[in-house]
Amino acid sequence: MERIFLFDTTLRDGQQTQGVHFSLDDKHRIANALDSIGLDYIEGGWPGANPTDSEFFDVPPKVKNSILTAFGMTKRSGRSVQNDDVLASVTNAGTRAVCLVGKANDYHVKKVLGVSNEDNLNNIQESISHLVDLGREAIFDAEHFFDGYKSNPSYALECLLAANEAGAKWIVLCDTNGGTLPTEIYDTVKMVIKNGISGSKLGIHAHNDTENAVANSFAAVDAGARQIQGTINGLGERCGNANLVSIIPSLLLKNYYSDRFKVGIRKEKLKEITKLSRLLDDILNRVPNKASPYVGAAAFTHKAGLHASAIVKDPRTYEHVSPENVGNVRVVPMSNQAGRSNLLSKLTESGI
C-alpha cells in the first residue's frame, strides 16, 4: 500500500484567517494536539515574520510523531543564500523540515517580484540546494502553480523542475487563488508526473474559494500526488484551506482510499478528531459549525420521522459511517415531526 502524508498548516496558513490570532500558548496546545493524533508534518509558522512565530521556534513543542516544519520564502534576487537575512531566520529555526514558497506563475514573477523569469528559477534552485546542503528536508511550495500552468505551462513546469533538480523532498502544487476545479487539478497533476516529477514527491495545497478544496485534494491524490496540505476546520485566508478534519476520516474510513493507501494516523486515534476540531474552536472562542462533516453536532442528528424510524432499525440506513469512529455521537431529538419514532428511539437508546 502506498503512503499518503498529511501536512498541517493550521498554525501558519490557518493563522491568515480574518480575526484569528494565536498566542504562543495557543500554538503549543494546537501543536501538541496535532502531534498526538499523528499528523506527519506540523508547519509552526514563519520564524522572523512576527514575534509569536519566532518565540514558537525558540521554544518549540516536544513533538513525538510529527515533523516540525518552518516556513519561509526563497531567497531574494541580488542576495546570496548565505546573505539573505529572511532565509537565515528560517534556517536558523533548526527544524528538520523547511518549506519555502516560491512563485510558479510568470505573471506574479513580473508583477509581484519584479524580476526576470530566469532570476526566479535561480532563486528557487539555489534556495532548495541550500536547504539540502544544510541537511534539511526541503519542501517547495509552488505558489499560484495551477494558474501559472494555465497561462504558461512550460514556465510553471520549469519552476517545479528547478526545485526537483536541486533536491527537494516534496514539491507542493498550490491552488493559491482557490479557483481551480477538480477535473483541472487531476489533469494537471497527471501532466506534471508525465513531465518527469514523481508523484511520490508531489503534494497538493488547495484553497477553498469554490468550495472544492477537499475535492481538489482528493483529485490530486487520484492523479498521483502523495502529500495533502490543509488545516483543522478549514481555517485559512479568504474562504479557507482544505479541511483536514474532513479529509482524514475519508482516507481512513472510505474503502476507495483505505484499501489503497495508508496514513500515519491509526484508526483508534481517529476517534479524537471531533475533540481536536472542537479544541481549536474553543481556543478561538468560536461556536463549532453544527453542519461540519464527521464532527459537527448535526452530522449524526436525525429529526424527520422516516429517518428516525429507520435509524432505530439500523443506523446504516441514514449514516455513511458510525459516529463512534470519529468521536462523535448519534442524536435523535424529540420533535413534533418525529413523534412516535423519536420516542421509540430514545427508549431503545436507554435500553428499555
Side-chain angles (χ1 to χ4, degrees):
M1 293 176 71
E2 290 188 77
R3 179 81 145 78
I4 299 293
F5 292 83
L6 297 168
F7 185 111
D8 181 272
T9 181
T10 303
L11 299 179
R12 201 273 305 172
D13 214 353
Q15 193 166 236
Q16 304 306 310
T17 309
Q18 187 174 8
V20 168
H21 302 283
F22 294 129
S23 68
L24 181 60
D25 181 64
D26 293 339
K27 289 174 77 84
H28 275 264
R29 288 179 65 193
I30 295 167
N32 288 327
L34 296 171
D35 178 57
S36 174
I37 207 169
L39 271 296
D40 295 297
Y41 295 87
I42 299 172
E43 192 173 62
W46 188 330
N50 61 73
T52 304
D53 282 9
S54 296
E55 289 177 44
F56 177 81
F57 288 103
D58 287 341
V59 188
K62 293 179 172 61
V63 295
K64 298 178 181 178
N65 305 303
S66 308
I67 298 173
L68 193 62
T69 306
F71 178 87
M73 67 181 186
T74 56
K75 81 169 190 69
R76 293 165 289 176
S77 294
R79 295 172 173 82
S80 68
V81 288
Q82 292 82 10
N83 294 313
D84 190 307
D85 56 329
V86 175
L87 181 58
S89 295
V90 179
T91 57
N92 289 342
T95 54
R96 173 177 158 186
V98 175
C99 182
L100 296 183
V101 64
K103 301 295 185 186
N105 182 334
D106 63 340
Y107 175 78
H108 280 261
V109 172
K110 179 181 178 180
K111 288 289 185 180
V112 179
L113 297 182
V115 302
S116 69
N117 286 354
E118 191 61 34
D119 279 344
N120 183 58
L121 292 174
N122 289 336
N123 291 341
I124 294 170
Q125 190 275 325
E126 291 177 20
S127 299
I128 297 299
S129 291
H130 182 57
L131 295 182
V132 174
D133 290 343
L134 291 174
R136 308 298 173 79
E137 184 174 320
I139 303 169
F140 176 60
D141 258 17
E143 190 181 29
H144 296 285
F145 170 75
F146 290 97
D147 289 333
Y149 186 83
K150 292 172 190 176
S151 63
N152 188 341
S154 61
Y155 184 72
L157 286 169
E158 280 188 79
C159 294
L160 305 186
L161 292 169
N164 189 48
E165 291 166 7
K169 167 80 172 180
W170 290 103
I171 297 169
V172 182
L173 310 179
C174 301
D175 185 29
T176 312
N177 287 353
T180 311
L181 299 176
T183 51
E184 296 175 292
I185 296 283
Y186 180 88
D187 291 343
T188 305
V189 173
K190 279 287 189 184
M191 188 58 66
V192 169
I193 295 171
K194 185 178 179 180
N195 278 273
I197 299 179
S198 170
S200 63
K201 299 181 71 170
L202 288 178
I204 178 70
H205 182 112
H207 281 258
N208 202 37
D209 297 73
T210 63
E211 196 66 38
N212 276 293
V214 170
N216 283 343
S217 299
F218 283 123
V221 168
D222 292 341
R226 294 296 176 258
Q227 185 195 105
I228 300 174
Q229 294 195 355
T231 61
I232 302 304
N233 294 345
L235 285 185
E237 58 189 333
R238 301 188 313 276
C239 303
N241 285 45
N243 188 354
L244 290 178
V245 173
S246 297
I247 289 170
I248 292 169
S250 293
L251 288 172
L252 283 163
L253 299 177
K254 298 301 180 180
N255 291 342
Y256 182 76
Y257 291 107
S258 64
D259 288 349
R260 295 184 294 148
F261 302 110
K262 58 183 178 180
V263 296
I265 298 173
R266 302 191 307 274
K267 266 196 172 181
E268 55 268 29
K269 280 293 182 178
L270 185 59
K271 296 179 180 180
E272 298 179 15
I273 200 159
T274 297
K275 180 181 176 183
L276 173 63
S277 171
R278 294 178 185 175
L279 169 69
L280 183 60
D281 284 328
D282 182 58
I283 288 172
L284 296 175
N285 196 29
R286 288 183 162 195
V287 177
N289 180 2
K290 290 183 178 181
S292 291
Y294 292 108
V295 301
F300 300 95
T301 296
H302 308 277
K303 179 180 179 182
L306 278 175
H307 290 211
S309 176
I311 284 292
V312 172
K313 297 169 184 175
D314 188 343
R316 291 176 296 178
T317 53
Y318 283 96
E319 293 176 353
H320 67 110
V321 298
S322 297
E324 296 83 6
N325 289 338
V326 291
N328 208 341
V329 294
R330 179 180 300 112
V331 178
V332 187
M334 295 298 290
S335 71
N336 292 333
Q337 286 81 6
R340 182 171 179 272
S341 295
N342 261 331
L343 177 58
L344 287 172
S345 177
K346 288 295 183 184
L347 293 173
T348 302
E349 287 179 4
S350 303
I352 301 173

